[in-house]
Amino acid sequence: MNGGLLVAGTTSDAGKSVVTAGICRWLVRQGVKVAPFKAQNMSLNSFVTREGAEIGRAQAMQAQACRVEPTAHMNPVLLKPGGERSSQVVLLGRPVGEMSARGYHGGRQERLLGTVLDSLAELRASHDAVICEGAGSPAEINLRRTDIVNMGIARGAGLPVLVVGDIDRGGVFASFFGTVALLAPEDQALVAGFLVNKFRGDVSLLEPGLEMLHGLTGRRTYGVLPFRHGLGIDEEDGLRVSLRGTVRESTVAPPVGEDVLRIAVCAVPLMSNFTDVDALAAEPGVVVRFVDRPEELADADLVIVPGTRGTVRALEWLRERGLADAIARRAAEQRPVLGICGGFQLLGEHIEDDVESRAGHVDGLGLLPVRVRFDREKTLTRPVGEALGERVEGYEIHHGVAEVVAGEPFLDGCRVGQTWGTHWHGSLESDGFRRAFLREVAAAAGRRFVPAPHTSFAALREAQLDRLGDLIEHHADTDALWRLIESGAPQGLPFIPPGAPA
């Protein structure tokens, strides 16, 4: 088998990432050596591979669904927004510069098609199947000429296309039909059919519509996936805690201790890797919420200032909203505060930034004895260490170089009293360390909270991926899906007018 498939969507957030992960997990359970692929991803949630390459976290989770190590080839182009109109371009895991949307779509993107096709070919040469994820909609006619992630990659690699639609939003039949009808004949020939996502109710009531859709388009529906809470893998962008939904909406043991622990995460601008708090939300008795007002910190037992692609901008935002003063008062009262990556940097004494914001010298909050200088080279590592007597693994993605001049060592950063700071993302996924840290927080907050002794974040992730595989196995036509992946789009699919405009 040397197959492939592109999972496209009628819209952003139609469920492409989840369906791709589900198909990957279903295939690997059939003994297929499979890899995920997304030619171009726009996300502030990223991950570092073992070779030190930066890719989107969704592709890292899809690699876990495949039970393989993630590599840069799985996401050769990553765009990290730095404002309304510009993004850092990460090519094959390394940043190559900042670019405006106009500059990128004006020619640079089109020139990257060869690079992404080479990465896809590399994966196909070493795997039985590659399941590709599109971005947005394949029918974005204003961007088709430079497209390298939807029909551009499908046509370039001869991939069959499965279009996913979120029926929970409404209008799914019009979306399916319109998506096909706005594609050029050569692109339409690759669109094999549809997959309905997030359906609630009796499928028999939907079947007449699916039959009519087949009559109108000549394309079948490969499955109807029911609505399930908490199935999202690591989100690309947005304010959702991907595992909190899973844990809170399934049968979970009550808190082990007498109290719950309340954690407030400051929703800073350009927030990156907010998935760091998923492991906290997975703990019974821990309540995580995102906040943007100082009064919302009042009853929090722990305040987290997360990573951000704009450290100086986030610092200004905290000051403008009064959150900076509220955090400083907490620190003075020995109430727990944790800064991660950009959040760690802004807790320091001062920042020299001629790279990210180009603001030069900026005073930090002064809560940690740390001085930060931004370097043009980005740090991309997978460190392993020890803290609070427990082994810790993490990953680092930052331009800021921190000089720790005092305080008690904490991973690569430091702590002063109950204010903690580190560049390490993902550290709270280490179960022993997470429990030790929560015990410290509970003691400082005066809460009779006890971490559950056997919570395994890795096991929760695996269970979540298995649930995605089960969705595909139980609710998709897997025989037809297998033929599609193995043999490509059916021959003779009809053209649906009007097609793409000239």
Side-chain angles (χ1 to χ4, degrees):
M1 184 180 187
N2 184 16
L5 175 69
L6 175 70
V7 178
T10 55
T11 62
S12 296
D13 202 32
K16 297 183 291 291
S17 295
V18 165
V19 168
T20 300
I23 294 174
C24 286
R25 178 49 61 102
W26 163 65
L27 283 172
V28 82
R29 295 196 305 207
Q30 310 308 307
V32 177
K33 187 179 181 183
V34 60
F37 179 80
K38 186 164 185 173
Q40 173 192 295
N41 199 351
M42 177 172 280
S43 178
L44 288 173
N45 282 340
S46 58
F47 184 74
V48 179
T49 67
R50 292 207 182 279
E51 68 267 27
E54 185 179 8
I55 66 172
R57 275 199 66 94
Q59 280 60 66
M61 282 290 288
Q62 289 163 355
Q64 186 174 343
C66 297
R67 298 182 178 139
V68 297
E69 275 292 321
T71 72
H73 288 303
M74 294 174 183
N75 179 206
V77 181
L78 174 64
L79 305 178
K80 302 193 72 174
E84 291 291 326
R85 298 182 180 178
S86 68
S87 295
Q88 182 181 65
V89 181
V90 180
L91 181 62
L92 291 173
R94 296 287 172 182
V96 294
E98 297 279 336
M99 188 166 289
S100 69
R102 180 179 291 274
Y104 184 67
H105 289 287
R108 178 64 183 268
Q109 182 184 33
E110 193 173 10
R111 293 195 296 272
L112 292 175
L113 180 59
T115 300
V116 301
L117 285 172
D118 287 346
S119 285
L120 177 56
E122 183 86 14
L123 291 174
R124 296 187 80 176
S126 55
H127 294 81
D128 300 326
V130 178
I131 308 303
C132 308
E133 179 188 342
S137 162
E140 291 168 349
I141 54 179
N142 56 316
L143 302 177
R144 176 61 186 91
R145 182 180 62 82
T146 59
D147 170 45
I148 64 170
V149 66
N150 289 307
M151 300 314 300
I153 196 77
R155 202 193 297 187
L159 295 172
V161 179
L162 185 68
V163 180
V164 178
D166 179 357
I167 197 169
D168 199 48
R169 295 183 174 194
V172 75
F173 292 116
S175 297
F176 282 145
F177 183 88
T179 296
V180 179
L182 283 176
L183 299 178
E186 297 84 354
D187 290 344
Q188 287 196 21
L190 295 172
V191 178
F194 313 108
L195 187 75
V196 176
N197 191 28
K198 300 183 184 177
F199 179 72
R200 305 173 191 252
D202 185 346
V203 176
S204 66
L205 298 177
L206 187 66
E207 287 171 351
L210 300 179
E211 291 171 6
M212 285 185 273
L213 182 66
H214 184 270
L216 288 166
T217 66
R219 289 158 174 86
R220 59 168 299 165
T221 297
Y222 283 76
V224 178
L225 306 185
F227 186 97
R228 293 286 187 269
H229 289 289
L231 283 180
I233 63 173
D234 287 5
E235 307 291 348
E236 291 185 357
D237 287 301
L239 281 185
R240 278 180 291 180
V241 185
S242 45
L243 276 183
R244 181 171 60 180
T246 300
V247 173
R248 292 294 171 260
E249 292 165 2
S250 53
T251 303
V252 178
V256 176
E258 297 179 41
D259 288 342
V260 299
L261 209 60
R262 296 173 177 84
I263 297 177
V265 184
C266 296
V268 297
L270 298 174
M271 182 164 45
S272 62
N273 288 67
F274 55 81
T275 48
D276 283 333
V277 303
D278 283 0
L280 296 174
E283 285 283 348
V286 173
V287 179
V288 177
R289 65 183 187 272
F290 290 92
V291 303
D292 59 5
R293 295 178 298 179
E295 57 268 28
E296 294 177 296
L297 306 187
D299 67 343
D301 302 307
L302 168 66
V303 169
I304 295 179
V305 187
T308 171
R309 178 79 164 91
T311 301
V312 170
R313 179 175 169 187
L315 183 57
E316 294 170 347
W317 181 86
L318 290 170
R319 286 176 167 143
E320 289 167 359
R321 289 180 169 262
L323 285 160
D325 289 340
I327 292 169
R329 284 194 299 272
R330 289 184 62 89
E333 295 165 359
Q334 296 298 305
R335 301 176 66 198
V337 175
L338 171 64
I340 302 174
C341 200
F344 163 45
Q345 295 166 6
L346 61 81
L347 294 179
E349 295 172 354
H350 65 78
I351 299 167
E352 291 290 340
D353 182 9
D354 295 317
V355 176
E356 193 174 75
S357 69
R358 297 181 176 84
H361 181 96
V362 177
D363 289 333
L365 296 186
L367 305 182
L368 289 175
V370 175
R371 299 160 189 168
V372 177
R373 173 185 53 82
F374 273 69
D375 194 344
R376 295 196 179 277
E377 291 297 315
K378 182 184 281 192
T379 298
L380 295 168
T381 63
R382 291 271 292 271
V384 177
E386 185 176 304
L388 302 179
E390 300 286 347
R391 186 176 187 274
V392 190
E393 296 183 28
Y395 56 99
E396 295 185 49
I397 305 170
H398 54 91
H399 285 281
V401 178
E403 178 190 2
V404 179
V405 296
E408 181 182 340
F410 174 62
L411 301 176
D412 71 318
C414 67
R415 67 176 289 191
V416 173
Q418 291 300 321
T419 301
W420 315 61
T422 177
H423 276 126
W424 290 23
H425 294 291
S427 63
L428 293 164
E429 295 179 19
S430 298
D431 297 328
F433 167 69
R434 181 180 65 254
R435 287 191 278 268
F437 179 68
L438 289 176
R439 282 192 290 269
E440 287 254 354
V441 169
R447 297 288 185 188
R448 290 171 294 183
F449 168 85
V450 178
H454 303 301
T455 301
S456 167
F457 188 70
L460 283 169
R461 279 195 185 280
E462 276 297 302
Q464 187 183 30
L465 292 170
D466 276 333
R467 290 178 69 203
L468 296 179
D470 291 344
L471 265 191
I472 298 299
E473 187 170 340
H474 299 154
H475 300 284
D477 185 339
T478 52
D479 289 339
L481 199 56
W482 185 281
R483 289 193 298 272
L484 186 62
I485 293 168
E486 190 173 37
S487 305
Q491 297 296 307
L493 292 169
F495 171 72
I496 309 302

